[in-house]
Amino acid sequence: MRYLFLPALAACLLAGAAMAQSEEAEPRNRVVIVENIKLDYAQVLNVEPVFQTLRATRTEEHCEPVTTRNLPPVNVTGEEPVEEKGRFGRLWDSVRSIFKPGEEGSAEVAAVPAGAQPSNAPILTRDCRIVPVGREFRRPIAYDVDYVYKGTKYRSRLPEDPGNRLKIRVSITPWVGPEQGSSANP
């Protein structure tokens, strides 16, 4: 029988605590505190953009420049290079010119068709390879603005640059704390 009264006693204690809390919170719920708002302007001191950095890579063909320093000289004019000949070489040329007048060197030129290179001519090739090239793009996404209002400095992050003056919203609301609410009520 003694254990039957324990749940009823616990219910009474909890109900008393709940009523005490409702009496404390009740005066604050009766009064609605209105926020006083006005618009004003602040002087902008500094604006710093906040950048977003985007990185991208793409592949490009990269070719090394062709150097001709290590290649043998190429005959561009089509004429045979003049060599220093000895006595026997000059004698042979003079005898050959007597028997074949006007055909000096014409057989060699006719052997190579126009626009084609001889087989022993060096071919210039470029050393090319595909390489990834990194690119970096920066764009402003916000602005950190330092401004002063009535002698106090503030800093805010804004989506746009405000210019020289910043329109601000000034809100004034009385503070109603737990100690202030209990002393105001009789």
Side-chain angles (χ1 to χ4, degrees):
M1 184 135 172
R2 183 172 165 193
Y3 296 109
L4 293 175
F5 293 113
L6 280 177
L9 181 63
C12 289
L13 289 175
L14 288 176
M19 287 179 58
Q21 283 182 351
S22 68
E23 286 178 9
E24 263 185 43
E26 196 174 324
R28 283 192 227 157
N29 289 337
R30 283 189 267 156
V31 177
V32 177
I33 299 172
V34 178
E35 186 177 17
N36 298 308
I37 299 172
K38 75 173 189 171
L39 297 177
D40 204 357
Y41 288 92
Q43 181 66 40
V44 174
L45 300 174
N46 188 24
V47 177
E48 295 176 13
V50 177
F51 290 103
Q52 177 185 28
T53 304
L54 302 172
R55 290 181 180 86
T57 58
R58 69 177 190 184
T59 56
E60 291 182 357
E61 183 180 30
H62 186 316
C63 297
E64 295 293 326
V66 177
T67 61
T68 56
R69 291 183 183 178
N70 55 0
L71 297 176
V74 177
N75 187 0
V76 180
T77 60
E79 299 175 359
E80 286 292 320
V82 179
E83 297 179 11
E84 292 290 326
K85 297 182 181 181
R87 286 185 194 173
F88 185 71
R90 286 186 296 213
L91 176 67
W92 181 254
D93 285 343
S94 65
V95 171
R96 189 172 33 162
S97 66
I98 293 172
F99 292 108
K100 296 181 183 179
E103 293 185 14
E104 190 176 322
S106 63
E108 294 175 8
V109 174
V112 177
Q117 290 184 345
S119 62
N120 62 354
I123 299 173
L124 298 178
T125 58
R126 299 184 335 175
D127 182 23
C128 297
R129 63 182 182 274
I130 303 296
V131 295
V133 176
R135 304 263 185 213
E136 188 173 281
F137 304 98
R138 288 177 21 143
R139 65 177 184 150
I141 57 170
Y143 295 89
D144 286 337
V145 180
D146 295 329
Y147 56 96
V148 63
Y149 178 71
K150 295 202 175 185
T152 305
K153 292 181 183 179
Y154 300 95
R155 183 179 191 113
S156 297
R157 183 164 284 185
L158 302 175
E160 295 178 0
D161 187 351
N164 293 334
R165 292 186 343 157
L166 176 64
K167 191 172 187 176
I168 59 171
R169 176 179 174 260
V170 181
S171 169
I172 300 173
T173 307
W175 170 253
V176 179
E179 65 279 346
Q180 192 176 19
S182 62
S183 64
N185 293 331

